[in-house]
Amino acid sequence: MSARGKPLLAADRVRVYLTLVPYLLEHGQVSLAEAAAEFGVTSTEMRQMVEKLTVIGLPGDSGFWQQPQEMFDINWDLLDEEDIIEITNDVALRRVPRFTAREAAALLAGLQMVAAVPAVSDSGLVSGLISKLSRGAADAPAEVVVAPSAVDEVRQVVSRAVQNGVAVSFTYRAPDAAPTTRTVDPVQVLITNAQWYLQGWCHMRQAMRTFHLDRVSDARLTDIPITHAGEHVPEAFSAVEDEGEVRVRVPERMAPLLGDFLTADNSDASDGIVTVRLHLADPRGVKRLAAKFGGALEVVDPGVARTAAREWAAAGLALYRHPEGDNAR
């Protein structure tokens, strides 16, 4: 009988068993009354279910349970004397493969970036995943520092603009061009090759445009209602109006890490070194690509790309040396 006085159907009983063990393992010790209330059954019925756990386990070669460690077990004294449930043997459930600390740290860093996307920033989904990853790794995840940047502030403004249904205004500086003030109906923020972009309807161009967020500054909300959110959104990079070439050198064995950036037409190999000519919307964006190589990638030219990569690496290293004073997260 359930707590409501109705018989517990077989299907319902199976569902209770499937969730009961993880629940008990997570809580450690829990009273019969508390567990019964959680699962909507009576205390007597909960006791019977817990007692039946002790005849559940892993089958041996002959189909029967042969070893005590292959069976569920509970603290019988605690149950009989204090009505407290405690599992003392969990039949290898804790041996489920887990992420290593390094794997968890990499996923946590990626989730922190995803959390900046307006569409998911307020959903609670990402924060929940981050919490579960932190608890579910085999060891404590390695320290992860995500350097704050001006792009973070822009994403926050865009997120508020989408929520409020108003256009966003900002200063946009394309390479080798005078800065312009743009008013944009934001549609989406996306990340491609570790670069953040805003796609939206540009009031000045009267068309959908893709804006490199590294070139955006002084972002602020307007009181202009969004009216072009339903316009066709161009493919990524289709509206990038300028492109720069960056020349880099990497060891030949590491060249495949360049992925789609590497083609037969833009690379030359000599003495174990590959020289690659990258075509980027902003030469300064090579800094994030260089980070994948742990110092093995050399930015040859232009100078603005070399300077950006060097300063970005130095700023990131400084956060690990002095995390308290830099508001690292």
Side-chain angles (χ1 to χ4, degrees):
M1 299 289 288
S2 71
R4 298 176 181 175
K6 296 179 180 180
L8 194 64
L9 299 178
D12 295 329
R13 192 178 296 275
V14 170
R15 282 194 290 270
V16 171
Y17 271 115
L18 288 174
T19 55
L20 177 60
V21 174
Y23 168 80
L24 295 175
L25 290 176
E26 181 178 352
H27 286 75
Q29 294 184 358
V30 60
S31 70
L32 272 175
E34 181 181 349
E38 181 71 25
F39 287 88
V41 297
T42 66
S43 294
T44 299
E45 195 168 32
M46 176 56 65
R47 176 185 283 272
Q48 293 172 349
M49 296 181 68
V50 171
E51 291 175 347
K52 287 179 181 178
L53 280 177
T54 61
V55 297
I56 298 175
L58 297 174
D61 295 336
S62 62
F64 297 94
W65 298 285
Q66 301 173 341
Q67 301 295 330
Q69 63 268 25
E70 294 173 346
M71 307 283 290
F72 277 107
D73 202 1
I74 61 174
N75 189 329
W76 287 99
D77 291 339
L78 199 60
L79 180 64
D80 292 337
E81 297 173 7
E82 302 182 35
D83 285 343
I84 298 294
I85 309 169
E86 180 184 28
I87 292 182
T88 56
N89 188 39
D90 53 29
V91 195
L93 285 182
R94 297 187 190 275
R95 285 183 261 163
V96 176
R98 293 185 172 191
F99 290 115
T100 65
R102 188 185 184 97
E103 292 169 338
L107 289 170
L108 286 170
L111 285 171
Q112 289 183 38
M113 296 189 70
V114 171
V117 177
V120 298
S121 59
D122 298 318
S123 66
L125 173 63
V126 173
S127 60
L129 287 173
I130 289 175
S131 177
K132 289 180 181 179
L133 271 175
S134 299
R135 299 193 309 266
D139 298 301
E143 180 185 8
V144 178
V145 174
V146 178
S149 68
V151 169
D152 296 331
E153 182 180 349
V154 174
R155 289 197 301 259
Q156 292 173 7
V157 173
V158 171
S159 179
R160 292 199 301 271
V162 172
Q163 294 171 10
N164 297 343
V166 296
V168 61
S169 177
F170 53 80
T171 299
Y172 192 66
R173 182 186 294 273
D176 303 321
T180 57
T181 299
R182 305 293 184 98
T183 299
V184 174
D185 289 0
V187 174
Q188 66 176 353
V189 173
L190 66 154
I191 183 170
T192 304
N193 294 323
Q195 306 268 348
W196 287 98
Y197 296 88
L198 164 65
Q199 290 187 305
W201 178 270
C202 177
H203 289 219
M204 184 174 77
R205 302 298 187 192
Q206 288 295 293
M208 278 288 176
R209 287 290 185 265
T210 301
F211 300 94
H212 195 308
L213 289 191
D214 274 346
R215 304 176 187 172
V216 172
S217 61
D218 300 325
R220 55 194 179 278
L221 300 179
T222 72
D223 57 1
I224 304 172
I226 292 177
T227 55
H228 293 86
E231 298 287 342
H232 173 69
V233 179
E235 295 293 330
F237 305 119
S238 65
V240 176
E241 300 171 351
D242 45 69
E243 199 173 65
E245 182 176 282
V246 179
R247 193 157 56 100
V248 302
R249 283 198 286 255
V250 296
E252 191 168 9
R253 70 181 187 281
M254 301 181 72
L257 293 177
L258 289 169
D260 294 337
F261 285 105
L262 182 68
T263 67
D265 297 331
N266 71 345
S267 60
D268 301 291
S270 176
D271 298 327
I273 300 296
V274 177
T275 301
V276 185
R277 299 175 300 279
L278 307 175
H279 293 276
L280 303 176
D282 184 348
R284 294 169 296 181
V286 75
K287 60 191 180 186
R288 294 185 179 87
L289 181 63
K292 298 181 180 179
F293 291 83
L297 181 144
E298 177 191 1
V299 180
V300 181
D301 52 44
V304 65
R306 288 174 57 87
T307 299
R310 181 176 63 253
E311 292 180 348
W312 190 73
L317 182 60
L319 288 174
Y320 285 91
R321 289 174 175 165
H322 310 288
E324 312 86 13
D326 293 282
N327 297 321
R329 63 184 196 280

